[in-house]
Amino acid sequence: MTEPTRTSQAAERSEQQWQEILSPAEYAVLRKGGTERPFTGEYTDHTATGVYSCRACGAELFRSETKFDAHCGWPAFYAPLAEDRVRYIEDRTLGMVRTEVRCAACDSHLGHVFYGEGFSTPTDARFCINSICLDFDEA
């Protein structure tokens, strides 16, 4: 497996190139919209200070200060680093309406965002993000 090149050219990669760069598990989630099993990801209970980036392209997505324990089985954040770092897509799979979250730089699937769950955070949002989609740079 080759380490992903951290450039904006990542969005122009073919699916074959993504398969060569990402592990099969990373590819299944980042490029095919899969989900890792709950409570298995490396960042679920992670508490270090730093920045979480897209594992596929290296774009900075979330700061540790916005991470909170939602007891949902995946890393949860109440806001992205900036709104232009992610994009939102209506997801009607599994018989419900959800909002998918993708990396704005390379269009990789990250997870979903949910609203109105009553968490005591500064926003009304829970960005439920797969650990396998993230890399972490400690401050």
Side-chain angles (χ1 to χ4, degrees):
M1 178 175 66
T2 307
E3 180 67 21
T5 303
R6 309 299 192 196
T7 69
S8 60
Q9 296 170 342
E12 299 172 13
R13 289 191 174 112
S14 70
E15 288 308 305
Q16 182 176 346
Q17 289 171 314
W18 282 119
Q19 287 178 331
E20 293 169 1
I21 292 167
L22 301 170
S23 73
E26 291 168 344
Y27 182 80
V29 177
L30 286 157
R31 303 308 303 169
K32 294 298 181 183
T35 302
E36 64 190 349
R37 290 189 340 261
F39 302 102
T40 62
E42 66 184 303
Y43 299 124
T44 302
D45 298 318
H46 192 247
T47 59
T49 301
V51 176
Y52 294 88
S53 301
C54 176
R55 186 164 290 175
C57 74
E60 292 184 346
L61 300 170
F62 300 95
R63 292 202 185 281
S64 60
E65 293 82 11
T66 65
K67 188 173 185 294
F68 69 102
D69 191 356
H71 306 285
C72 63
W74 295 273
F77 303 87
Y78 62 77
L81 191 134
E83 280 298 321
D84 65 349
R85 303 298 173 100
V86 296
R87 69 185 200 95
Y88 306 99
I89 298 172
E90 184 178 280
D91 177 356
R92 292 184 170 269
T93 61
L94 305 177
M96 64 180 107
V97 179
R98 302 181 294 172
T99 303
E100 179 184 2
V101 179
R102 291 192 184 187
C103 175
C106 70
D107 200 39
S108 288
H109 171 79
L110 302 172
H112 290 84
V113 61
F114 302 93
Y115 301 95
E117 296 178 318
F119 289 104
S120 61
T121 59
T123 68
D124 187 32
R126 174 176 59 97
F127 287 79
C128 187
I129 306 299
N130 292 285
S131 287
I132 201 166
C133 298
L134 302 172
D135 278 328
F136 181 76
D137 292 316
E138 195 162 349

